[in-house]
Amino acid sequence: MMTEKPDYNPSGVGEINGNIFGLPYDYQSANLIIIPVPWEVTVSYGGGTANGPQRILDASVQLDLFDFHHPEGWKQGIFMMKVPQDILEKNTYYRTLAAKIITRLEQGQQLTHPPDLTSLLSEINQAGEQVNKWLFTQCQAAMKQGKRVAVIGGDHSVPLGYFQALAAKYANYGILHIDAHADLRNAYEGFTYSHASIMFNALKIPQISQLVQVGLRDISHDEMAMIDQSNGRIIGYYDPIIKQKLYSGSTWIDLCREIISHLPEYVYISFDVDGLDPKLCPSTGTPVPGGLELEQTFCLFRELVNSERKIIGFDVCEVGDSEWDGNVGARIVYKLGNLMDLSLSS
């Protein structure tokens, strides 16, 4: 069992000790607990994000730990739980079943067409519910010990259980959502817990008072209608419009402050890496041309902290199964962990 080392040198060679960034903390000594969820059962395009947590862990020891805005951030204590192999195995099994359903729908046929696949759909939805309950339990257990929590996916369906755990603690919080997609589809392809339905499901939680989405550029008519008819509960910042404003002379810092103005005091950050320019995470599940630079998102998050709002949790999802994607994902996790620490310590 790992224990905190008083003589730990953050400038030393990253130690491959089983913990993220090679940090000398275990579950008990850490203040931030990172929970990996290797689940991508409903992915409808590219695969591999179930291996995202392992890719992030593997790449993380190569990072230098000096953070320009929180140089001593590592001292908060960060620990990543082991990738749950039982969930990873179930993911492999259920993804095979889900592929049959997706293929049937892409062929324009009903699930009741022989052989009937409706029972498979029900089984997959139950499996998704079990993962949500597992994550809810893990998050509540950590939070009851006074710890902070972050989640690494997997596809973007995975943080729902964490949203529910936060709703048991906070009467009102908002989500700042970085994504190419709005994820507002109702049971996309029949999957209740689809990666394309995470924000639709989030909005069923009454404690989530505001959803602000940034980087959207691949969106359906129904999702646009849902945003427009939400009475301001959902606010979209669309990539083409962001770019046009920047090309016309608006500054990113002013746009960041406008985006943040819509959010309440307590904010959860949900970061789907396909919100970034795909050169940064090319192996993500559903890459889309365009998007944000990494430092643009970090600037947005810093302005959130500067506004004296509190980052109460975050997830990083859709990191692909490649070394480069893991490298970028690890940097996002470290930055968000440090900015959350800054926001909650001020």
Side-chain angles (χ1 to χ4, degrees):
M1 182 161 176
M2 192 188 323
T3 56
E4 186 175 354
K5 296 179 181 177
D7 60 346
Y8 174 76
N9 177 11
S11 297
V13 175
E15 183 180 337
I16 301 175
N17 59 7
N19 190 25
I20 196 164
F21 312 115
L23 288 171
Y25 298 95
D26 59 17
Y27 191 100
Q28 295 306 317
S29 60
N31 287 313
L32 173 60
I33 304 299
I34 297 174
I35 304 175
V37 188
W39 188 258
E40 57 167 349
V41 166
T42 65
V43 22
S44 48
Y45 191 57
T49 62
N51 294 324
Q54 188 64 50
R55 286 293 192 172
I56 287 175
L57 177 63
D58 292 344
S60 68
V61 295
Q62 300 299 323
L63 271 64
D64 281 316
L65 297 178
F66 184 90
D67 185 305
F68 283 94
H69 298 89
H70 195 10
E72 304 300 305
W74 65 271
K75 290 184 177 178
Q76 67 181 289
I78 304 172
F79 176 73
M80 179 172 164
M81 295 170 57
K82 289 187 180 298
V83 176
Q85 293 303 305
D86 58 333
I87 290 180
L88 188 59
E89 290 169 5
K90 289 177 182 176
N91 170 77
T92 302
Y93 171 73
Y94 285 110
R95 190 166 173 232
T96 301
L97 300 185
K100 296 180 180 179
I101 291 172
I102 293 169
T103 299
R104 175 73 62 83
L105 295 174
E106 289 176 343
Q107 292 172 344
Q109 296 178 343
Q110 299 294 319
L111 295 187
T112 52
H113 184 84
D116 193 318
L117 299 181
T118 52
S119 62
L120 287 187
L121 179 62
S122 177
E123 187 179 348
I124 291 165
N125 286 337
Q126 288 174 8
E129 176 69 19
Q130 290 170 358
V131 171
N132 292 335
K133 289 180 177 178
W134 174 84
L135 182 59
F136 176 86
T137 301
Q138 295 294 327
C139 292
Q140 275 217 321
M143 290 161 63
K144 284 179 180 178
Q145 295 183 45
K147 298 181 184 296
R148 304 162 188 168
V149 174
V151 168
I152 298 177
D155 71 26
H156 208 171
S157 70
V158 303
L160 185 60
Y162 188 16
F163 295 170
Q164 294 164 339
L166 287 170
K169 180 176 180 180
Y170 295 94
N172 168 34
Y173 72 94
I175 295 178
L176 176 57
H177 175 205
I178 307 297
D179 208 320
H181 310 90
D183 292 346
L184 291 169
R185 296 174 183 266
N186 181 4
Y188 184 57
E189 297 178 322
F191 303 119
T192 304
Y193 303 107
S194 167
H195 64 102
S197 303
I198 180 62
M199 294 306 162
F200 181 91
N201 291 330
L203 291 171
K204 295 177 183 177
I205 302 172
Q207 291 87 343
I208 297 175
S209 59
Q210 192 73 58
L211 172 61
V212 179
Q213 304 182 291
V214 182
L216 305 181
R217 56 195 187 277
D218 197 16
I219 190 167
S220 71
H221 287 79
D222 286 349
E223 289 173 305
M224 284 296 294
M226 186 174 180
I227 294 170
D228 292 341
Q229 296 165 14
S230 71
N231 294 317
R233 190 182 181 198
I234 314 170
I235 296 177
Y237 281 85
Y238 308 99
D239 192 59
I241 297 173
I242 289 172
K243 297 287 173 51
Q244 187 69 22
K245 287 183 177 180
L246 294 177
Y247 300 155
S248 302
S250 297
T251 68
W252 177 242
I253 202 82
D254 285 339
L255 280 172
C256 287
R257 290 166 182 165
E258 178 188 322
I259 291 165
I260 290 161
S261 70
H262 300 292
L263 290 162
E265 178 183 5
Y266 297 114
V267 179
Y268 178 98
I269 296 174
S270 191
F271 199 135
D272 183 328
V273 298
D274 70 30
L276 298 170
D277 185 310
K279 70 189 177 196
L280 293 164
C281 282
S283 299
T284 189
T286 316
V288 183
L292 301 166
E293 294 295 334
L294 189 60
E295 195 56 42
Q296 279 185 297
T297 66
F298 290 171
C299 176
L300 174 61
F301 303 151
R302 286 193 296 269
E303 285 304 305
L304 183 68
V305 175
N306 292 340
S307 75
E308 299 187 351
R309 287 169 174 81
K310 307 297 184 185
I311 301 172
I312 58 171
F314 67 88
D315 64 72
V316 178
C317 291
E318 303 281 356
V319 170
D321 188 11
S322 80
E323 184 178 358
W324 173 242
D325 291 56
N327 183 311
V328 173
R331 295 175 190 278
I332 297 170
V333 171
Y334 190 57
K335 177 62 73 174
L336 283 174
N338 286 337
L339 290 177
M340 179 161 69
D341 186 55
L342 272 181
S343 78
L344 296 175
S345 301
S346 60

